[in-house]
Amino acid sequence: MTSVAHRAPLDTAELVKRHRAELLGLDALPAGARVVIRLPHGEPLAGALLTCFDLRLVAVPQHPRTSDAELAAVVRRVDASAVIDTPADRTHPIGLRILPGAPAEPDPGAAELAFIMFTSGSTGTPKGVMLSRRAVLGNATKTARLHRFAPDRPHGTCLPLYHCNALVMSLIGAHITRTPLILHTAFDPERYLRELAAGGARTASIVPALLTELVEAGPGWPDGLDYLITAAAPLTGDLARRFHRRYGPRLRQGYGLTEAVNFSLTMPELTGEDFTAQYLDRFPPVGLPLPDTEVRLESGEVWIRTPDIMDGYWRDPAATAQALAPGGWLRTGDLGELRDGLLVLKGRAKERIDRGGEKHYPLDVERTWHDAGLRGRFAAVPVAEAALGHEVGLVTDGPPAATLDAVRTVCERAAVRPAAVRWGGFLATATGKPQRTAMGRTLAVRRISAVRYERLLRYAAVTARTLLGTGPAPPPDLPSGDLHRALRAMAPYAVYEPVPTGDEPVFAAFDFLRGHMRAHGLWEPLPEAEKAGWRGYLRSQWPLSEYAALAAEICAAENITNVKPDVPQFGAWWESEDEGLRLLPHAPAATPTATTAATDGVPWALDYLWRCLADDRGTAPADRWTWVRQPRTRHPATVGFSVLRSGRHDLGGVVWDSQQRE
């Protein structure tokens, strides 16, 4: 095997000296001038950020894949005086452009800023978080002291320096303590640990998304590495257990927001039974507050007060007032609880699922699904529903084959059952945080009136009991045996006489069926023309029209807008014009019998009626689990289903698969 050369750990002071010549024009800018930086993660970016910091300029780091148009918009938005970018000819790793009009007069107070960090914008327009030098130095000093940064204790990071975690703790923390920094630029699990070993790292940073890859690859642990520091997204109990089986208790989780300059809480260093009790037996907590940091819970939301807090959002006083409460408290938007004095996160406040007065926290729901056997990467997501506010959806990564049985267990037996499931299309931030709200918008759910449906059940049951008294059971070799079983399954639900009355349009179909069978005998087939007429009528009426409405909502979630009013229809496959989406609104898979039962054990109200009216063009009920399991030649990007519910009743719903579209 060819050996891989490893760079020596960075001396950040020497790094700044090397890049000052290329960035000489920055010296002419006044303190507080904004410098927009678009460079890939690596030494040139580290040098540019530290040079701006030492010159008391305000660095505005951008993702290296930021487009030219987006970069120009940020330059205008912050009135930048300079841009540091990769030169077009790429003859040098770094290039500086002093913009016309520079040096510009900085905004009042801008001289005290160190960075403007733009948020991802996943929930709206990106906001520019203003971080002062005082706050950055305060937080970097505390975290460096916490993890014992020192010249003889190198630190490593594989996280991009244009994010707050690596920028403040790893880069600034190493710089102010003269700690050698091991900068891993393109994550590879084996190479990362080899570089940490070669550089003599005592601590190193990671995020759960990369920690998963590390555990799966399983490279040898470096001698001298005390532990990994994980943050940016919650560490699941499953991942903690997998890490512990391979590497032991060499893990410390922390928590913070860009608005509070990276870390606000960090777990103490635990070993043995203490590590097991906090990380393995229960959902891992995120720790204790840093010095001079206070935490309180307001209606379940985590509020933080610390000297290491943003000055606000760049030229956005309304957003600043919304985030900063009186008394210097930051509303984090995260939900949490205290356990043994340690903060345990429960999800985002905006992602809390409010289902008809029931409040479900995604992390709590996901823990119960994990206990039910679901593994891999999955998320509980809020799905908009008109009657309840929200329903619970499940999005899981990868193909159905790996998780189908576990998902079925969750859907049929879990305390919180998802009303919609999607395989594929898992969305996460660059640091691995599930984007639950965004994923929830890719799903659709629908409920119908439980009271109205119960009346329909009773009407169907009374009709079934009446029909069973009109003639003998059919010969066993006739197809009508299925109809007989359906009638017998429904008849016990005739809880009172006489037949319920009302203006429900679907009652007319039961009345027609009852009249026909009384006149012609229970097992006399219906004329095809009459069957077709009643099928068309029922599809246009409640409750079958609700299946079509749910299918239309799935089309909207998939950005399919060319849906005619008469399609998709109950009981028939429908495909979009671009063939990117196909779906089937369907009844429950089977009528409950002694050996087969629907989820709630109650027959579908229209089962025997639809059996009498069914044709041979795909109107049979669909077993969603068999459908999901079947092999596909289309290679859909995502597969899923939405359940139509009425109270406790599972009425079938819509199954679908979707291909990538241009």
Side-chain angles (χ1 to χ4, degrees):
M1 180 181 294
T2 304
S3 62
V4 179
H6 297 284
R7 297 176 182 174
L10 293 177
D11 180 325
T12 58
E14 290 297 322
L15 180 68
V16 172
K17 290 180 182 178
R18 291 204 306 270
H19 286 288
R20 282 295 291 272
E22 295 175 295
L23 300 173
L24 195 58
L26 294 178
D27 294 74
L29 298 179
R34 272 80 65 194
V35 180
V36 176
I37 304 174
R38 180 179 64 177
L39 292 172
H41 175 52
E43 290 188 21
L45 176 58
L49 290 166
L50 289 176
T51 298
C52 289
F53 190 78
D54 285 356
L55 291 174
R56 305 184 74 86
L57 302 174
V58 183
V60 188
Q62 296 293 292
H63 194 287
R65 290 197 296 271
T66 300
S67 69
D68 290 345
E70 292 168 333
L71 187 74
V74 172
V75 167
R76 290 192 300 270
R77 187 171 173 183
V78 301
D79 294 334
S81 296
V83 174
I84 300 175
D85 202 355
T86 302
D89 59 9
R90 298 189 180 275
T91 54
H92 298 284
I94 191 170
L96 171 65
R97 287 186 289 131
I98 302 297
L99 300 177
E105 188 66 28
D107 282 13
E112 299 304 317
L113 294 183
F115 302 104
I116 299 175
M117 307 289 294
F118 278 94
T119 62
S120 63
S122 59
T123 57
T125 303
K127 298 187 287 289
V129 180
M130 298 187 293
L131 302 181
S132 69
R133 294 181 60 83
R134 172 191 51 76
V136 167
L137 287 171
N139 194 268
T141 300
K142 292 171 192 173
T143 51
R145 185 179 298 127
L146 183 70
H147 298 295
R148 304 189 297 281
F149 282 19
D152 61 345
R153 288 180 56 85
H155 171 74
T157 187
C158 58
L159 308 181
L161 294 173
Y162 43 83
H163 286 172
C164 196
N165 184 307
L167 172 57
V168 175
M169 183 181 76
S170 297
L171 184 62
I172 302 297
H175 188 52
I176 62 177
T177 58
R178 302 301 301 269
T179 297
L181 179 63
I182 300 157
L183 201 60
H184 183 75
T185 55
F187 186 71
D188 174 88
E190 295 186 3
R191 185 163 184 172
Y192 185 40
L193 291 198
R194 287 202 303 269
E195 289 179 354
L196 294 177
R202 302 298 301 274
T203 57
S205 297
I206 202 165
V207 294
L210 301 182
L211 192 65
T212 299
E213 296 186 28
L214 178 68
V215 171
E216 290 178 356
W221 189 262
D223 292 338
L225 182 62
D226 295 337
Y227 52 81
L228 294 178
I229 306 161
T230 180
L235 176 70
T236 66
D238 180 56
L239 180 54
R241 285 186 285 272
R242 290 165 55 205
F243 179 91
H244 185 264
R245 282 195 295 270
R246 188 172 293 277
Y247 296 121
R250 299 181 171 118
L251 201 60
R252 294 182 72 176
Q253 181 168 214
Y255 164 76
L257 284 77
T258 302
E259 286 85 345
V261 198
N262 191 32
F263 282 106
S264 295
L265 297 95
T266 300
M267 282 293 290
E269 193 171 0
L270 301 179
T271 59
E273 293 181 356
D274 293 334
F275 188 92
T276 299
Q278 294 298 345
Y279 281 93
L280 310 184
D281 292 344
R282 296 176 289 180
F283 193 81
V286 295
L288 298 167
L290 267 63
D292 303 320
T293 298
E294 301 172 78
V295 175
R296 83 184 203 204
L297 300 177
E298 286 288 333
S299 301
E301 183 184 8
V302 179
W303 287 22
I304 290 173
R305 182 161 63 183
T306 172
D308 316 332
I309 204 164
M310 69 172 180
D311 284 3
Y313 296 114
W314 177 258
R315 295 178 181 173
D316 194 342
T320 300
Q322 188 174 19
L324 298 178
W329 291 93
L330 171 68
R331 302 180 178 98
T332 69
D334 288 316
L335 300 168
E337 64 183 10
L338 294 176
R339 188 185 74 206
D340 302 332
L342 303 170
L343 179 65
V344 181
L345 296 181
K346 299 171 71 68
R348 296 286 294 168
K350 291 182 179 179
E351 296 175 335
R352 180 170 55 193
I353 304 169
D354 295 321
R355 188 172 71 174
E358 301 174 356
K359 291 180 172 54
H360 298 285
Y361 301 100
L363 288 176
D364 285 344
V365 174
E366 289 161 12
R367 290 168 207 160
T368 65
W369 291 351
H370 179 275
D371 293 342
L374 188 55
R375 297 293 185 270
R377 197 162 66 147
F378 63 88
V381 303
V383 186
E385 202 285 317
L388 299 178
H390 285 136
E391 256 291 5
V392 181
L394 166 59
V395 178
T396 181
D397 210 4
T403 58
L404 182 61
D405 291 339
V407 170
R408 182 169 187 173
T409 298
V410 165
C411 288
E412 295 181 349
R413 301 178 188 174
V416 178
R417 296 181 295 152
V421 176
R422 182 186 189 104
W423 282 270
F426 190 95
L427 302 176
T429 66
T431 56
K433 290 182 180 178
Q435 295 180 304
R436 294 187 178 87
T437 301
M439 286 189 281
R441 288 195 290 266
T442 69
L443 296 174
V445 295
R446 199 171 185 87
R447 297 180 74 92
I448 64 176
S449 167
V451 173
R452 191 177 181 186
Y453 186 73
E454 289 286 347
R455 290 180 64 245
L456 180 59
L457 273 173
R458 291 196 296 272
Y459 200 95
V462 171
T463 303
R465 180 174 291 179
T466 302
L467 291 176
L468 285 171
T470 63
D477 58 339
L478 291 181
S480 53
D482 287 341
L483 174 59
H484 189 242
R485 284 189 290 272
L487 287 166
R488 292 184 61 184
M490 178 60 71
Y493 295 93
V495 293
Y496 65 82
E497 297 279 3
V499 176
T501 59
D503 57 358
E504 201 67 74
V506 73
F507 286 179
F510 285 105
D511 295 341
F512 161 77
L513 186 64
R514 188 165 55 247
H516 173 87
M517 291 184 173
R518 280 174 171 168
H520 301 285
L522 186 58
W523 313 116
E524 180 69 23
L526 294 168
E528 288 299 323
E530 289 190 282
K531 288 169 61 175
W534 280 107
R535 283 198 303 270
Y537 174 75
L538 287 176
R539 281 175 169 148
S540 69
Q541 302 297 324
W542 182 94
L544 293 191
S545 58
E546 296 292 330
Y547 292 83
L550 175 57
E553 290 178 12
I554 293 172
C555 290
E558 287 285 319
N559 295 315
I560 302 292
T561 57
N562 56 341
V563 182
K564 299 177 182 178
D566 58 335
V567 290
Q569 293 185 346
F570 174 82
W573 276 104
W574 179 88
E575 192 165 21
S576 62
E577 290 183 0
D578 63 2
E579 300 181 346
L581 174 69
R582 63 172 189 160
L583 44 79
L584 172 64
H586 67 93
T591 297
T593 65
T595 57
T596 305
T599 302
D600 60 5
V602 179
W604 183 49
L606 302 185
D607 187 35
Y608 70 83
L609 176 62
W610 197 256
R611 286 175 188 272
C612 290
L613 302 176
D615 58 11
D616 59 354
R617 294 190 296 275
T619 55
D623 181 338
R624 62 177 70 116
W625 307 109
T626 301
W627 176 84
V628 169
R629 194 185 298 274
Q630 69 184 13
R632 288 173 169 78
T633 57
R634 298 163 37 98
H635 303 294
T638 58
V639 177
F641 61 80
S642 294
V643 180
L644 184 67
R645 283 184 175 160
S646 174
R648 62 192 176 97
H649 304 302
D650 179 341
L651 309 183
V654 181
V655 295
W656 55 268
D657 57 38
S658 174
Q659 292 179 301
Q660 290 283 3
R661 292 182 292 276
E662 295 297 332

